[in-house]
Amino acid sequence: MLLMSNVTATVVTRPAATRDRQNSLVRDWTTATRKPYAAMLQPLGSSETVQQSDQVTTDRICFLPPDAAVTEYDRVEVDGITYEVNGRPGKEQGSGPLAVLSHLTVVLREVTG
């Protein structure tokens, strides 16, 4: 349980790869398993690359319940935006009376353009 959740974050579990018509491995994210969690989302940073087209990379940090099933291969949807999980989620464990503060820390990345 998170003490201060401000959004619902839906973890989209990476589906198994299948072969397409050209025999390439592909993942159909529309068939992936989705599980919503109460979460807290905070800005982490962003950058913009201007060359042939504008590309904006936005990073956010997401705090999920400690029992959330999320890996570095998954995606997370928040308010209609799909983020890639960037790196392995970290488990922050409280002990004794601070066990209520236990949570997962997940860095999310959105790339547009």
Side-chain angles (χ1 to χ4, degrees):
M1 177 182 102
L2 288 177
L3 291 178
M4 297 178 60
S5 61
N6 62 358
V7 296
T8 297
T10 302
V11 175
V12 184
T13 303
R14 181 173 82 164
T18 58
R19 299 259 179 207
D20 65 5
R21 293 180 194 169
Q22 288 78 33
N23 204 30
S24 300
L25 284 175
V26 295
R27 297 186 193 283
D28 182 5
W29 286 92
T30 62
T31 63
T33 304
R34 288 171 160 71
K35 178 143 180 154
Y37 294 98
M40 178 181 277
L41 193 68
Q42 297 291 321
L44 195 56
S46 65
S47 64
E48 182 177 11
T49 303
V50 181
Q51 289 180 347
Q52 294 175 342
S53 66
D54 287 344
Q55 183 179 38
V56 178
T57 302
T58 304
D59 292 332
R60 299 195 182 276
I61 191 160
C62 183
F63 302 98
L64 291 169
D67 60 343
V70 61
T71 71
E72 61 270 27
Y73 307 111
D74 297 334
R75 294 179 177 176
V76 176
E77 298 171 343
V78 180
D79 294 333
I81 300 172
T82 301
Y83 298 92
E84 300 281 339
V85 174
N86 189 16
R88 186 173 292 152
K91 189 166 191 171
E92 312 301 331
Q93 191 69 40
S95 62
L98 298 179
V100 70
L101 300 177
S102 298
H103 62 277
L104 290 179
T105 303
V106 183
V107 177
L108 304 177
R109 175 166 287 169
E110 176 196 24
V111 179
T112 58

